[in-house]
Amino acid sequence: MRLISKLVFVLSLITSCGVHAHAVVTHNSLALKPVPVNQASQVELSFNSKVELDLSEIHLVSAGDKMQVIEAVPGDKPGKVLLNLPALMPGEYAIKLKVFAADGHLSEDLLRFFVKQPQ
Ligand SMILES: [Cu+2]
C-alpha cells in the first residue's frame, strides 16, 4: 500500500506540468512603492524564471475593464521585468499578465493596485 501511494505521488509530480517551469511572479514593487498620481512610473516584477517578453502580453486594466497594452522591458537580472505605466488618475487598476517562461510554459496573473492621492 505504501509503495503504491508513493508511486501515485511521484506520478502526480511528473504529470503536473512542471510547476518549476512556469514563470510565476515572486515579487512586485507595487506594495513597497505605490504608483504615484498623474505621473508616469515604473513597476518592477521578479519572476522565478526567465521570461520571453516578445511572446508575453501585459495589459493595464482600468475602470470599466478597459485594457491597454503596457510596455515591458527586461530588468538587470534574468526574470526581472520593468513595466512602464502611463500617468494614472486615482482609482483601482490591475496589471494583467500573460507570460511565457523561457521554456514556453504560459502563465496568467492579475495584480491589483490602487492609485491614491497622497494623504
Ligand atoms: Cu507547465
Side-chain angles (χ1 to χ4, degrees):
M1 245 359 221
R2 282 186 61 189
L3 182 65
I4 287 173
S5 60
K6 249 183 204 166
L7 198 64
V8 167
F9 178 63
V10 170
L11 277 177
S12 71
L13 282 183
I14 293 168
T15 54
S16 67
C17 188
V19 173
H20 299 287
H22 290 78
V24 174
V25 178
T26 54
H27 173 264
N28 74 69
S29 63
L30 288 166
L32 283 171
K33 225 180 74 185
V35 175
V37 178
N38 294 327
Q39 191 188 316
S41 64
Q42 214 167 39
V43 173
E44 191 184 297
L45 301 180
S46 297
F47 292 88
N48 63 341
S49 128
K50 193 173 173 286
V51 167
E52 298 295 337
L53 282 181
D54 293 344
L55 301 172
S56 303
E57 283 176 39
I58 303 177
H59 287 91
L60 175 71
V61 188
S62 38
D65 271 341
K66 272 199 289 178
M67 301 241 282
Q68 83 187 81
V69 174
I70 45 179
E71 191 197 9
V73 294
D76 57 358
K77 280 183 222 159
K80 214 176 219 189
V81 175
L82 302 172
L83 307 180
N84 291 321
L85 294 185
L88 298 174
M89 301 201 307
E92 191 182 355
Y93 298 86
I95 293 166
K96 194 168 190 254
L97 300 161
K98 229 185 208 181
V99 167
F100 276 95
D103 63 358
H105 281 107
L106 175 71
S107 26
E108 296 188 46
D109 206 348
L110 192 71
L111 306 171
R112 294 173 190 280
F113 66 98
F114 287 93
V115 175
K116 282 183 200 152
Q117 212 68 253
Q119 308 271 330

